[in-house]
Amino acid sequence: MTLRSMRSDVTVQLDTAELRLVFQLPFGSHTRLFLQEVARACPGFDPETRDPEFRWLSRHRCAGADVQSPKPREWNSDPGTQSGFTPIGGGGSNPDSSRPNGRGLLMDQSSGARCLEKPENSLTRQSKSKPDITDMVRSSTITVSDKAHILSMQKFGLRDTIVKSHLLQKEEDYTYIQNFRFFVGTYNVNGQSPKECLRPWLSHSTQAPDVYCVGFQELDLSKEAFFFHDTPKEEEWFKAVSESLHPGAKYAKVKLIRLVGIMLLLYVKQEHAAYISEVEAETVGTGIMGRMGNKGGVAIRFQLHNTSICVVNSHLAAHTEEYERRNQDYKDICSRMQFSQVDPSLPPLTISKHDVILWLGDLNYRIEELDVEKVKLLIEEKAFQTLYAYDQLKTQVAAKSVFEGFTEGELTFQPTYKYDTGSDDWDTSEKCRAPAWCDRVLWKGKNISQLSYQSHMALKTSDHKPVSSVFDIGVRVVNEELYRKTLEEIVRSLDKMENANIPSVSLSKREFCFENVKYMQLQTESFTIHNGQVPCQFEFINKPGEDSYCKQWLTAKPSKGFLLPDSHVEIELELFVNKATATKLNSGEDKIEDILVLHLVRGKDYFLSVSGNYLPSCFGSPLHTLCYMREPILDLPLDTVSKLTLMPMQSADERNQLENPMEIPKELWMMVDYLYRNALQQEDLFQQPGLRPEFEHIRDCLDTGMIDNLCANNHSVAEALLLFLESLPEPVICYSAYHSCLECSGNYTGSRQVISTLPTFHKNVFNYLMAFLQELLKNSAKNHLDENILASIFGSLLLRNPAHHQKLDMAEKKKAQEFIHQFLCSPV
């Protein structure tokens, strides 16, 4: 069942099994009351009862809108993830012996799991060999029980929400704490295939864990994995892990999620499978442009009995001096990792909205202020606490820059990086990296006891050593009898207060002004909703004829919720202009103006006014517009900016005959010139992200023309260049030439012909960029760039699919790469 939610303003899910439970009770007056509430809230239980129509909503719905109830989300419905329950390993008891009637996973008596698509997958473990079991697990599509999606559908109103909220408040009255043993492991495998048994790492303890959370980093270091996300290493390491789980139990794979080389696996003992629900997996790339997956995080969230758990595996930015970038990666993962809920009408959950958070991975924090030999001496003396004083993660946590509220166990093992592969010897390469505790496990939540925290020196496949931590975690388990009594008490109390009053709230603020909004720079305003004496459900609703409750550059968090009497909630209004909204703000077609309608269920509407001003930017401006702007964009009158932005691309070449525009935008020249002078030999250029504050500085220098003030990290300027190209409303290679380019990939003569047909300014920019990239390739011995890397990065920016501006599929992506590759290998 799902009775806990991590937000006070979201609906809690009830289980159909709980409803059946009540139907089986002796038929007293209290039971009849509850059955009446069930029939009222859930027409599906009584075919004679009509669905409530909620006519009051009609004035807020667009004509012809689809108001059907949404279908429940299945476990493995998100792309790029695999989930299912199929047994792995040996031993263990029959899971059905501990399973309450009418609850949990649909289990097969012989195997402990039932596949919904492939009947042969339900064979007993004894009839399968190890490789067959692995194949069976990977192809399974088993889902948990439905979690009573009926009660999460939008047709249920305020009363159901009140019941669920009261159940949340009284959770301790009907649950008890039961400890579950968790194994949490992390291993940076340096692109290697498994070469040794993993049991010294995964099965080192006597007692078989109830739950396995196993994370990998650098699963595959090949360019194919980086750019196309395909890798055979996923299968290899999944099989290696499945074969090395504790031999004293049978396990079911719950979920596998991977982002390039970052992979996370979740297994549970087979007997606990029925009590796992609401499984979701997501990824966040924090590499170049905030989305490349060579760095970032993957996460799996799930419900074990009545406790919500989130497991995060991250690989943060490398290099000793880059601790600020690591901090930024952590914050990006926290802010951008969002999980869909069973009810799609509810807002997504973030990492912090869980009872238990387990964070593992190659966090890459190093030891600073000590030379390599001093570090090695302290390790030899096992003076780990002395060495720990110089650990960057310790310093950053103490400064509350990262992992605020998290706990880490004492480091009683030597640093896990960097070793010569195949040995226990410290790095003897030319770079001679200093040892560091890169690989870590942290946690956050209540009722968590760490039993062990160690490295495993026996494994020598990688230049890292794997790390493990074993926990006893107290999970809330429901006592069905106490739950039934609590539910009945809530229903009885609601009868007394129903229809007593109309809900009413007060708002701390109704007018919001966002001044001097800039491109990709978040601004936030907040206000508080104070509730009166009646429970209320609130939601920002669409205005007539509009598809969303606000404009695209605005977001309200939370956008809907529930308030008990005399409670309050703070709402944040976030304003963020990106490539999708900048062009119309530059042209004046859109303005920082909006009206939000805050609606109370069974109550009235409140109107909020949003206003402000946007500072035009070169980001989001068309190429030909910028070529006609000889002055910085912020020095021009708004009317001039508007006219130039709205100027059709076709007429730009005609005006070229009469006026004297620049051949390429000055802003583009400024960034390329900076990189030409400072970064031709910069290692990992265009592959490592910059710092966000530096991007804002670069943007301001470009928009004000104060190029002499430009002082930034080479990676920040390189990322700004990519963001500039991405923000162009019409890409360098125009949409109209897209299909011709793909057809000509591999034919350099034909490709040159297509480029020659581009509008003058677009053709100039393309040739200019190719000349610059060729200069970079002349320094490949230092910067480690090659034609494939640059073609992959710039291919998806210069060539964009005109069909709804959607992302390139894999075949198109490879053709776009091949098209750009031709120009990098040939004279411009």
Side-chain angles (χ1 to χ4, degrees):
M1 77 184 64
T2 306
L3 299 167
R4 167 168 292 280
S5 167
M6 291 296 93
R7 301 175 69 104
S8 62
D9 56 310
V10 299
T11 304
V12 186
Q13 314 294 323
L14 294 179
D15 198 329
T16 46
E18 290 130 30
L19 296 175
R20 280 195 296 273
L21 176 67
V22 177
F23 278 100
Q24 295 164 3
L25 296 174
F27 218 89
S29 60
H30 297 325
T31 306
R32 287 191 185 91
L33 274 174
F34 181 74
L35 291 180
Q36 291 169 7
E37 296 309 313
V38 170
R40 182 181 308 175
C42 187
F45 280 93
D46 182 357
E48 299 299 319
T49 306
R50 297 182 61 189
D51 287 10
E53 297 179 15
F54 289 165
R55 292 186 178 88
W56 58 267
L57 274 175
S58 60
R59 71 179 192 272
H60 304 295
R61 288 179 175 146
C62 299
D66 182 7
V67 295
Q68 292 181 353
S69 301
K71 293 182 179 180
R73 185 180 172 88
E74 293 191 3
W75 276 30
N76 54 348
S77 61
D78 50 344
T81 64
Q82 303 170 14
S83 70
F85 275 149
T86 310
I88 299 174
S93 60
N94 188 329
D96 287 333
S97 63
S98 61
R99 173 173 165 250
N101 185 33
R103 293 183 50 77
L105 182 69
L106 296 172
M107 303 290 282
D108 181 272
Q109 292 293 330
S110 60
S111 71
R114 174 181 168 197
C115 181
L116 301 182
E117 290 186 357
K118 299 192 177 184
E120 68 272 17
N121 282 2
S122 62
L123 296 174
T124 61
R125 176 181 177 274
Q126 286 73 16
S127 66
K128 291 273 186 176
S129 64
K130 274 282 187 180
D132 292 333
I133 291 172
T134 299
D135 292 340
M136 178 175 67
V137 174
R138 284 180 50 76
S139 63
S140 76
T141 57
I142 301 166
T143 61
V144 287
S145 62
D146 199 316
K147 298 306 297 173
H149 68 271
I150 297 173
L151 283 178
S152 72
M153 291 182 181
Q154 294 174 347
K155 62 184 177 185
F156 301 106
L158 180 60
R159 189 179 181 89
D160 185 54
T161 306
I162 296 172
V163 171
K164 295 170 184 177
S165 296
H166 279 292
L167 282 170
L168 262 182
Q169 287 191 320
K170 296 176 177 291
E171 185 182 41
E172 293 186 3
D173 294 349
Y174 56 84
T175 61
Y176 60 93
I177 299 296
Q178 178 179 329
N179 277 338
F180 287 77
R181 183 69 50 89
F182 277 65
F183 174 97
V184 180
T186 178
Y187 194 7
N188 182 318
V189 296
N190 192 33
Q192 304 297 310
S193 295
K195 300 172 183 175
E196 51 196 344
C197 178
L198 302 181
R199 282 198 172 174
W201 170 40
L202 299 175
S203 304
H204 67 273
S205 58
T206 304
Q207 180 177 334
D210 295 298
V211 181
Y212 271 101
C213 311
V214 184
F216 293 95
Q217 307 83 39
E218 295 191 358
L219 202 73
D220 192 333
L221 298 176
S222 69
K223 295 181 180 68
E224 289 73 23
F226 178 66
F227 292 112
F228 303 115
H229 310 299
D230 295 330
T231 174
K233 301 290 178 67
E234 176 184 311
E235 171 71 30
E236 295 172 6
W237 283 102
F238 168 74
K239 182 179 178 182
V241 170
S242 298
E243 293 176 347
S244 299
L245 300 178
H246 202 287
K250 289 183 180 180
Y251 290 92
K253 186 205 76 174
V254 179
K255 199 77 165 177
L256 180 157
I257 180 74
R258 181 176 63 83
L259 174 67
V260 188
I262 310 169
M263 184 168 79
L264 181 60
L265 285 160
L266 176 66
Y267 302 83
V268 297
K269 271 186 180 177
Q270 190 172 322
E271 58 262 39
H272 302 317
Y275 304 100
I276 296 285
S277 63
E278 296 184 26
V279 179
E280 290 289 337
E282 293 295 343
T283 68
V284 170
T286 61
I288 191 74
M289 299 175 71
R291 66 168 185 254
M292 288 292 194
N294 56 323
K295 294 292 187 291
V298 300
I300 300 172
R301 66 91 52 202
F302 60 100
Q303 197 95 355
L304 176 58
H305 286 276
N306 227 50
T307 293
S308 62
I309 299 170
C310 183
V311 185
V312 184
N313 173 23
S314 67
H315 191 190
L316 308 186
H319 306 304
T320 302
E321 68 279 3
E322 299 291 357
Y323 66 88
E324 288 185 352
R325 189 171 281 109
R326 286 187 274 281
N327 295 352
Q328 179 175 298
D329 287 351
Y330 164 78
K331 292 171 184 175
D332 283 348
I333 293 169
C334 288
S335 64
R336 291 167 50 200
M337 190 78 74
Q338 297 189 334
F339 305 94
S340 300
Q341 297 204 59
V342 175
D343 180 353
S345 70
L346 296 178
L349 293 174
T350 59
I351 293 172
S352 63
K353 303 297 183 181
H354 291 83
D355 296 322
V356 173
I357 305 170
L358 302 171
W359 197 303
L360 58 109
D362 180 359
L363 306 187
N364 249 326
Y365 287 95
R366 308 302 174 92
I367 293 167
E368 56 186 359
E369 297 183 22
L370 296 177
D371 60 43
V372 175
E373 295 308 317
K374 179 63 175 177
V375 171
K376 292 179 179 178
L377 177 62
L378 290 172
I379 294 170
E380 189 176 338
E381 295 173 350
K382 297 192 181 301
F384 298 139
Q385 289 310 300
T386 303
L387 189 61
Y388 181 56
Y390 298 92
D391 177 70
Q392 285 180 337
L393 181 56
K394 176 183 183 297
T395 304
Q396 295 305 305
V397 170
K400 297 186 176 180
S401 298
V402 288
F403 291 104
E404 190 168 359
F406 280 79
T407 304
E408 183 181 22
E410 182 179 351
L411 295 173
T412 60
F413 52 91
Q414 70 184 46
T416 54
Y417 172 85
K418 178 181 182 176
Y419 296 87
D420 286 339
T421 302
S423 76
D424 294 334
D425 300 327
W426 297 116
D427 181 24
T428 58
S429 69
E430 181 182 348
K431 293 183 178 179
C432 194
R433 303 280 193 194
W437 284 294
C438 290
D439 311 284
R440 314 288 273 267
V441 176
L442 298 93
W443 74 91
K444 187 176 186 179
K446 296 179 180 179
N447 304 313
I448 303 175
S449 299
Q450 188 179 55
L451 306 181
S452 69
Y453 190 24
Q454 63 187 97
S455 65
H456 299 270
M457 299 294 291
L459 273 67
K460 308 181 193 300
T461 297
S462 173
D463 56 353
H464 290 247
K465 299 295 182 183
V467 168
S468 72
S469 181
V470 177
F471 298 95
D472 270 348
I473 298 180
V475 169
R476 288 201 169 273
V477 178
V478 172
N479 180 307
E480 298 287 358
E481 179 64 20
L482 293 178
Y483 168 72
R484 178 186 62 80
K485 291 180 179 178
T486 303
L487 192 56
E488 286 188 346
E489 290 172 3
I490 292 170
V491 171
R492 283 198 302 269
S493 67
L494 285 179
D495 276 338
K496 298 177 182 179
M497 63 172 287
E498 189 175 32
N499 297 323
N501 288 295
I502 295 175
S504 177
V505 300
S506 63
L507 308 183
S508 63
K509 190 177 180 181
R510 297 199 193 190
E511 295 183 356
F512 306 88
C513 183
F514 295 86
E515 295 183 346
N516 298 328
V517 176
K518 296 182 178 182
Y519 184 80
M520 284 184 67
Q521 186 163 322
L522 179 68
Q523 283 199 32
T524 303
E525 293 277 344
S526 64
F527 70 99
T528 304
I529 303 176
H530 296 273
N531 192 25
Q533 300 304 308
V534 180
C536 89
Q537 193 167 332
F538 68 88
E539 179 181 5
F540 288 99
I541 60 174
N542 300 0
K543 297 182 286 295
E546 297 190 3
D547 297 329
S548 176
Y549 68 85
C550 66
K551 290 190 176 179
Q552 198 173 352
W553 36 259
L554 188 64
T555 307
K557 293 185 177 180
S559 63
K560 60 181 71 175
F562 173 78
L563 286 170
L564 290 171
D566 294 319
S567 63
H568 67 274
V569 63
E570 184 175 45
I571 308 292
E572 285 196 341
L573 299 181
E574 295 184 349
L575 199 159
F576 188 77
V577 176
N578 58 18
K579 61 182 180 181
T581 54
T583 304
K584 287 191 174 182
L585 288 168
N586 277 347
S587 69
E589 294 172 281
D590 190 14
K591 298 183 183 299
I592 306 295
E593 293 177 359
D594 203 0
I595 299 291
L596 302 185
V597 182
L598 180 66
H599 174 73
L600 301 187
V601 176
R602 298 194 307 125
K604 68 174 187 177
D605 295 339
Y606 298 79
F607 297 89
L608 286 69
S609 170
V610 175
S611 62
N613 68 294
Y614 178 68
L615 298 179
S617 175
C618 62
F619 289 86
S621 295
L623 281 178
H624 62 276
T625 296
L626 294 173
C627 287
Y628 278 96
M629 291 182 180
R630 302 196 68 87
E631 301 296 323
I633 192 168
L634 288 179
D635 288 352
L636 295 173
L638 292 178
D639 184 56
T640 302
V641 174
S642 175
K643 289 179 180 178
L644 290 175
T645 304
L646 292 171
M647 178 177 58
M649 182 173 58
Q650 293 77 7
S651 65
D653 278 354
E654 299 171 4
R655 288 184 57 170
N656 192 6
Q657 310 294 326
L658 305 174
E659 302 180 29
N660 187 27
M662 293 171 288
E663 294 187 355
I664 61 172
K666 57 189 176 304
E667 296 83 1
L668 174 66
W669 175 85
M670 290 174 184
M671 288 183 283
V672 171
D673 180 66
Y674 186 95
L675 294 172
Y676 183 80
R677 289 184 288 107
N678 299 288
L680 286 182
Q681 298 183 356
Q682 176 69 58
E683 189 175 350
D684 295 331
L685 196 68
F686 295 117
Q687 299 172 83
Q688 185 169 316
L691 293 171
R692 187 158 304 141
E694 290 194 353
F695 167 76
E696 294 171 1
H697 166 69
I698 295 165
R699 177 206 59 215
D700 291 345
C701 288
L702 298 176
D703 290 341
T704 59
M706 302 181 70
I707 189 63
D708 293 338
N709 294 342
L710 181 57
C711 179
N713 183 289
N714 291 336
H715 295 298
S716 297
V717 178
E719 185 173 30
L721 173 59
L722 298 182
L723 290 170
F724 174 83
L725 295 173
E726 184 188 46
S727 74
L728 294 172
E730 184 81 19
V732 174
I733 298 176
C734 301
Y735 287 123
S736 59
Y738 172 77
H739 292 292
S740 298
C741 289
L742 296 190
E743 291 170 2
C744 290
S745 61
N747 178 356
Y748 181 62
T749 302
S751 299
R752 289 294 308 164
Q753 179 62 34
V754 173
I755 296 299
S756 70
T757 64
L758 295 177
T760 302
F761 303 115
H762 287 253
K763 179 171 55 180
N764 292 345
V765 167
F766 179 84
N767 290 331
Y768 181 66
L769 288 172
M770 293 302 105
F772 168 61
L773 297 181
Q774 288 183 1
E775 288 298 315
L776 285 175
L777 291 172
K778 292 176 184 178
N779 292 271
S780 59
K782 295 285 187 180
N783 59 37
H784 300 158
L785 292 170
D786 62 33
E787 294 89 345
N788 290 328
I789 293 175
L790 292 177
S792 296
I793 293 170
F794 283 85
S796 59
L797 292 173
L798 304 182
L799 272 168
R800 292 190 235 146
N801 194 323
H804 306 294
H805 300 183
Q806 64 188 24
K807 290 183 179 179
L808 279 61
D809 64 25
M810 199 57 65
E812 290 179 335
K813 190 173 183 179
K814 290 183 177 180
K815 283 190 174 183
Q817 175 182 343
E818 186 178 358
F819 182 86
I820 301 300
H821 189 278
Q822 303 172 108
F823 291 89
L824 297 178
C825 300
S826 306
V828 178

